[in-house]
């Protein structure tokens, strides 16, 4: 068997927030390997450190212990990584296309390709007509679609997503899940995707990692063996899918109980 090198490697990572007497252990002993092109989902009780872990991976927070390694492809044309947040985070004073051009200018993507990338991706997600609109002139779902395009336009090798669809209604969530899978299938970067929605994690991911309710190693790793491309709605009729949803739900219930017993945020 050929060993596929991991794109993101995390070993024994821990993060403690210390503010005077107050000490919060966000997470501890986290080890994970994400392969190139893998779609990895993280679920876990509220307050178990998912956002902090992504922020450490993005370089926004510094871990207290352990190591993170991004093994990037040398000479690849795109950015090293991009992050998508719960809120779209678009600049309100820039139009849709100006928001995209802004991140492209900061990226290694050659200048002469920017216009074509913006045009193609906006068409791809049905927003070409809105290129000169400002974020306040768009709906929540449309803004989140722009945020998705903004992340993909720099062709990142690693994409970090923190509950990007949490504020969307059910139908918009499905639309965005479909778009995410389509864009990812074209570019195939490594994605780390945090969500509270178990159905979403299992429908999108190659694997789901369950963060523990007490600071410690991942509680479980579950494979989602459904092949690609996937229909995130049709998948719900699959008995294996239903079984995995129940399994992860029960596991999360246990971890939530641990978390409450430990007095972590529940
Ligand atoms: N800047 C900070 N200073 C102090 N403590 C923090 C800071 N950021 C996060 N924490 C603490 O770290 C722990 C983990 O927080 P984090 O936001 O990573 O959890 P989460 O799993 O993303 O939760 P949720 O599912 O509710 O989004 C919490 O106890 C939180 O209070
Ligand atoms: Mg969070």
């Amino acid at each position: 068997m050929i060993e596929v090198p991991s794109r993101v490697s995390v070993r024994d990572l821990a993060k403690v927030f210390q503010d005077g007497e107050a000490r919060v252990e966000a997470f501890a002993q986290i080890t994970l390997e994400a392969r190139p092109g893998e779609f990895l989902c993280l679920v876990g009780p509220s307050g178990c450190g998912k956002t902090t872990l992504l922020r450490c991976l993005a370089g926004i927070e510094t871990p207290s212990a352990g190591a993170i390694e991004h093994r990037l492809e040398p000479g690849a044309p795109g950015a090293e990584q991009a992050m998508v947040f719960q809120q779209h985070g678009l600049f309100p004073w820039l139009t849709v296309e100006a928001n995209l051009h802004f991140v492209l200018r900061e990226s290694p993507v050659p200048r002469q390709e920017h216009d074509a990338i913006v045009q193609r991706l906006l068409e791809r997600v049905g927003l070409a007509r809105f290129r000169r609109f400002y974020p306040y002139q768009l709906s929540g779902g449309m803004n989140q679609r722009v945020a998705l395009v903004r992340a993909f336009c720099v062709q990142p090798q690693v994409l970090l997503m923190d509950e990007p669809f949490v504020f969307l209604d059910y139908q918009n969530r499905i639309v965005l899940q479909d778009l995410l899978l389509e864009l990812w299938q074209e570019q195939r970067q490594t994605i780390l995707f945090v969500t509270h929605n178990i159905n979403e994690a299992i429908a999108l991911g190659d694997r789901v990692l369950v963060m523990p309710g007490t600071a410690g190693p991942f509680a479980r790793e579950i494979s989602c063996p459904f092949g690609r491309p996937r229909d995130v709605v049709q998948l719900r009729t699959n008995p294996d899918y239903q079984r995995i949803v129940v399994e992860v739900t029960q596991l999360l219930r246990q971890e939530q109980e641990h978390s409450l017993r430990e007095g972590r945020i529940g």
Side-chain angles (χ1 to χ4, degrees):
M1 201 174 90
I2 302 166
E3 269 293 298
V4 181
S6 58
R7 175 71 79 226
V8 179
S9 169
V10 173
R11 272 187 314 283
D12 280 331
L13 210 70
K15 176 67 183 174
V16 175
F17 290 103
Q18 186 90 44
D19 186 7
E21 294 287 282
R23 182 180 189 277
V24 177
E25 195 173 25
F27 57 79
Q29 297 173 58
I30 289 295
T31 291
L32 75 83
E33 299 281 340
R35 290 180 284 276
E38 185 173 27
F39 199 130
L40 196 57
C41 291
L42 303 178
V43 297
S46 184
C48 73
K50 303 179 294 297
T51 294
T52 308
L53 175 59
L54 282 199
R55 287 169 63 83
C56 286
L57 288 168
I60 305 168
E61 292 284 359
T62 311
S64 312
I68 298 172
E69 200 181 336
H70 284 58
R71 295 195 194 99
L72 299 171
E73 209 174 296
E80 291 183 3
Q81 58 183 12
M83 188 154 176
V84 183
F85 304 90
Q86 292 179 341
Q87 246 106 15
H88 57 73
L90 301 171
F91 293 124
W93 59 87
L94 295 180
T95 61
V96 165
E97 64 181 358
N99 264 284
L100 304 182
H101 279 290
F102 182 88
V103 292
L104 277 164
R105 271 197 303 277
E106 301 292 309
S107 80
V109 177
R111 174 69 193 90
Q112 65 273 19
E113 293 174 21
H114 292 188
D115 288 343
I117 290 172
V118 169
Q119 172 73 16
R120 188 181 66 80
L121 280 173
L122 285 178
E123 271 170 16
R124 194 79 180 64
V125 302
L127 287 176
R129 200 156 80 67
F130 299 94
R131 64 163 61 82
R132 303 230 160 80
F133 281 51
Y134 289 86
Y136 80 90
Q137 296 172 304
L138 303 178
S139 71
M142 290 159 91
N143 274 322
Q144 206 56 351
R145 254 188 281 171
V146 179
L148 203 59
V149 166
R150 182 180 54 174
F152 276 96
C153 73
V154 296
Q155 298 159 41
Q157 293 193 42
V158 177
L159 185 49
L160 305 166
M161 308 185 81
D162 190 11
E163 301 195 61
F165 308 146
V166 68
F167 295 127
L168 302 182
D169 59 71
Y170 179 76
Q171 270 164 342
N172 257 313
R173 192 181 262 259
I174 300 287
V175 168
L176 270 284
Q177 288 172 352
D178 282 342
L179 278 175
L180 169 60
L181 286 184
E182 283 174 24
L183 293 171
W184 171 69
Q185 255 143 228
E186 284 168 16
Q187 294 194 6
R188 278 290 182 157
Q189 49 272 103
T190 302
I191 297 188
L192 279 96
F193 186 100
V194 165
T195 178
H196 271 116
N197 187 310
I198 296 169
N199 289 292
E200 179 168 84
I202 297 166
L204 297 180
D206 293 315
R207 279 188 295 153
V208 177
L209 300 178
V210 181
M211 295 247 324
T214 54
F218 282 113
R220 186 85 66 84
E221 169 191 320
I222 291 128
S223 304
C224 309
F226 308 119
R228 307 277 182 185
R230 284 180 193 175
D231 182 324
V232 297
V233 177
Q234 189 62 33
L235 204 54
R236 290 165 189 235
T237 60
N238 181 325
D240 284 332
Y241 171 84
Q242 292 164 1
R243 181 181 51 72
I244 296 172
V245 168
V246 172
E247 189 183 342
V248 176
T249 307
Q250 282 171 340
L251 199 60
L252 269 176
R253 185 161 62 180
Q254 269 173 28
E255 293 305 324
Q256 188 76 39
E257 281 166 11
H258 291 163
S259 167
L260 287 170
R261 241 179 277 133
E262 287 253 320
R264 300 180 105 207
I265 295 164

